[in-house]
Amino acid sequence: MTQHVSPPRGGTSKVAPAGEPPAWRGLAARADVRTLSLLGVLAVLVLIGGVTQPDAFLDTRNLQLVLTQASVIGVVTVGMTFVIVSGGIDLSVGAVVALASVWATTVATQDFGFGGILFTAVLVGVGCGLVNGVLVAYGGMVPFIATLAMLASARGLALQITDGRTQVVTVDSVLDLGEREAYLFGVPPLVLVFAAVTVIGWLVLNRTTFGRRTVAVGGNAEAARLAGIDVRRQRLYLYLLSGLCCGIAAFLLIVLAGSGQNTNGNLYELDAIAAAIIGGTLLTGGRGTITGSVLGVLIFTTITNIFALNNLQTDVQQIAKGAIIVAAVLVQRRTASTT
């Protein structure tokens, strides 16, 4: 006698077909493929650098320089990744870095020493992020317009503070961080800060409620609101996070350059967005990876270094970067169409 089992009350039970893997495994597999692809591109670039300029490119000092240069824009990119994952954009990051760097290197600020410079840089970055967040989250402004206005304002204020002059840092404890004597097992302190920010960013995005809310807001803000997420507050926090990263990056740039200039951070917004995109972060929001963004930064920094060592023109370098961005977007679209 055959016994029929009725489905539970309230609807039908959905059972995955036998042999069909869960959806999350497919997403993880695609993420692994993207990461491996980026590692492959980076390996090819290292090979090209090693073949064209073996003595210069593979020199320990040059590799340390590449990582150090990647650290500043890398910290900015971590914050940018969070904003883009939420469906937003921040065009002001480069200008905020410039403003934070010049505000932190004024004579009055340097009188407070190491702590004064670091505190001022972070405070200015967070303050600018607060303004962006309030305008976007509570003012109802489009992120593109709000952050574009901040870009213009921050650049103008940075120019007004410096009057177009370079502000030289005279605090030895800050300058010493850029010296080789400060390296830890051959690793520059700036790279260690970048690594720490990367690890923390990865943990926050992938292992915390804050990260899950960020992805939810970027995927469908209305559905996130109905699920009980305070979308406006979440967006405010994200722009605060971006500003914090800009403040940290400004301090790293001060250590690296030994000065503050109103031209600092030029085109950082484009480099950060490009690195996030080729790393697999969707401009429409809802998906992103810190690991991919960091690999994107390393790829662009390595390209710049190879071009510099081979005395190639900057315009060719920009064309190469543009081609990489286009290729990355096309791969994203193809991947999305097959899901």
Side-chain angles (χ1 to χ4, degrees):
M1 182 180 223
T2 304
Q3 183 178 7
H4 296 280
V5 180
S6 302
R9 284 186 176 182
T12 59
S13 60
K14 295 183 180 179
V15 181
E20 182 178 328
W24 64 267
R25 289 187 179 177
L27 293 174
R30 286 193 293 274
D32 289 340
V33 170
R34 284 194 298 270
T35 301
L36 290 175
S37 300
L38 292 172
L39 287 173
V41 172
L42 186 59
V44 170
L45 289 174
V46 171
L47 179 62
I48 293 174
V51 170
T52 57
Q53 295 288 336
D55 295 332
F57 181 79
L58 297 178
D59 183 72
T60 302
R61 290 176 179 265
N62 183 64
L63 296 178
Q64 290 172 336
L65 175 63
V66 171
L67 292 176
T68 301
Q69 292 176 336
S71 298
V72 180
I73 185 61
V75 172
V76 174
T77 303
V78 170
M80 179 71 79
T81 300
F82 275 88
V83 173
I84 296 178
V85 168
S86 72
I89 199 74
D90 190 350
L91 299 180
S92 68
V93 291
V96 172
V97 168
L99 178 60
S101 69
V102 300
W103 207 324
T105 54
T106 60
V107 175
T109 303
Q110 292 193 52
D111 287 341
F112 292 93
F114 183 98
I117 294 177
L118 176 59
F119 176 78
T120 302
V122 171
L123 182 63
V124 172
V126 173
C128 292
L130 176 62
V131 174
N132 282 334
V134 169
L135 291 176
V136 173
Y138 295 96
M141 292 186 66
V142 177
F144 182 92
I145 301 299
T147 57
L148 184 62
M150 176 58 72
L151 183 156
S153 302
R155 282 290 178 194
L157 185 54
L159 179 60
Q160 186 178 49
I161 291 175
T162 61
D163 197 21
R165 294 190 293 267
T166 300
Q167 298 179 162
V168 179
V169 176
T170 58
V171 180
D172 292 336
S173 56
V174 173
L175 298 175
D176 289 344
L177 289 177
E179 300 296 330
R180 298 190 63 82
E181 289 75 13
Y183 290 11
L184 184 63
F185 301 109
V187 181
L190 275 67
V191 178
L192 295 176
V193 173
F194 175 35
V197 171
T198 299
V199 171
I200 294 173
W202 186 90
L203 290 173
V204 171
L205 185 60
N206 296 281
R207 294 290 184 268
T208 67
T209 302
F210 183 87
R212 289 191 290 272
R213 288 175 178 173
T214 300
V215 175
V217 170
N220 191 322
E222 181 60 20
R225 186 187 66 82
L226 294 175
I229 297 175
D230 190 332
V231 175
R232 294 191 298 179
R233 185 173 61 186
Q234 184 71 16
R235 285 174 173 162
L236 173 63
Y237 289 162
L238 289 166
Y239 281 100
L240 284 172
L241 176 60
S242 179
L244 173 63
C245 289
C246 288
I248 296 173
F251 180 77
L252 298 183
L253 191 57
I254 291 171
V255 173
L256 182 62
S259 63
Q261 304 178 52
N262 65 286
T263 57
N264 282 343
N266 188 34
L267 297 181
Y268 272 19
E269 58 277 358
L270 299 183
D271 289 342
I273 294 171
I277 290 174
I278 72 170
T281 301
L282 291 180
L283 269 177
T284 53
R287 191 184 77 191
T289 161
I290 298 296
T291 303
S293 296
V294 169
L295 289 175
V297 170
L298 293 176
I299 287 172
F300 279 146
T301 308
T302 304
I303 290 175
T304 301
N305 183 259
I306 292 173
F307 273 68
L309 291 177
N310 287 278
N311 296 318
L312 297 177
Q313 296 180 355
T314 305
D315 54 353
V316 180
Q317 174 185 326
Q318 299 301 327
I319 293 173
K321 287 184 177 181
I324 292 175
I325 295 171
V326 171
V329 173
L330 291 177
V331 170
Q332 281 189 4
R333 293 189 61 177
R334 182 172 179 82
T335 302
S337 64
T338 57
T339 57

